[in-house]
Amino acid sequence: MTEPGASPEDPWVKVEYVYSDNSLDPDDEDSDYHQEESYKDRRRRAHTQAEQKRRDAIKRGYDDLQTIVPTCQQQDFSIGSQKLSKAIVLQKTIDYIQFLHKEKKKQEEEVSTLRKDVTALKIMKVNYEQIVKAHQDNLHEGEDQVSDQVKFNVFQGIMDSLFQSFNASISVASFQELSACVFSWIEEHCKPQTLREIVIGVLHQLKNQLY
């Protein structure tokens, strides 16, 4: 239907009809575009922040390693005053962990040796207590003291045992070889554990002879 006073062929009327039929508002299109851009910006910022946090965490980890690992704190003259690279920090950390594993194994072996020494000392203590008790039981016979002969027998038994290993280990082909053999014999046969075993054996043998 045409407006009163307007010709059906009036071009201004057609333009008005076109605008009236168009349901899209240019301002609405701009708003949607800005909302889409804002969402992309938020995602981009969130990704950037997450990546920065990850890098900061890695950096703190490397800083902690350089603080904890002693070799990272020592000056490396090959690189001068330059900052340690991540590869060097990791390698030094690996080397230090391997060193700690070796030290742990060494300490475990030392603990095992000490436990054996403690066991030997307990055996010696028991033997000594038995000898003391035997002497106390024989006080009425006037044998409450160990004679010099008994002391000499203990000493002689220890020396005889040592001389057997000494005689079997020492070579007299030359003085130099003799010296080397003596030191080797001392290191092998004069260890505390070896001497304790010799003393325990001599005391057992003497105890059987006396009682």
Side-chain angles (χ1 to χ4, degrees), residues 185-203:
W185 173 80
I186 291 175
E187 293 178 356
E188 181 176 358
H189 296 279
C190 294
K191 297 178 181 178
Q193 178 65 24
T194 304
L195 294 177
R196 290 190 184 100
E197 293 174 355
I198 292 174
V199 172
I200 291 172
V202 171
L203 291 176

Side-chain angles (χ1 to χ4, degrees), residues 18-19 42 56 58 64 66 81 92 96 100 111 115 119-120 122 138 150-151 164 167 175-177 180 187 205:
V18 171
Y19 276 107
R42 288 197 300 270
D56 292 342
I58 293 175
D64 291 341
Q66 293 189 62
S81 60
K92 286 181 177 290
Y96 184 62
L100 291 179
V111 169
R115 287 175 178 172
T119 301
K122 288 180 179 180
N138 295 329
V150 173
K151 291 191 292 184
Q164 290 178 5
N167 190 41
F175 182 79
Q176 183 177 3
E177 187 172 350
E187 293 178 356
Q205 183 178 2

Side-chain angles (χ1 to χ4, degrees), residues 55 58-59 62 65-66 83-93:
R55 293 182 179 181
I58 293 175
K59 182 179 182 302
Y62 278 101
L65 286 179
Q66 293 189 62
K83 184 178 179 180
L84 295 179
S85 66
K86 294 180 179 180
I88 293 178
V89 172
L90 289 178
Q91 185 59 53
K92 286 181 177 290
T93 302

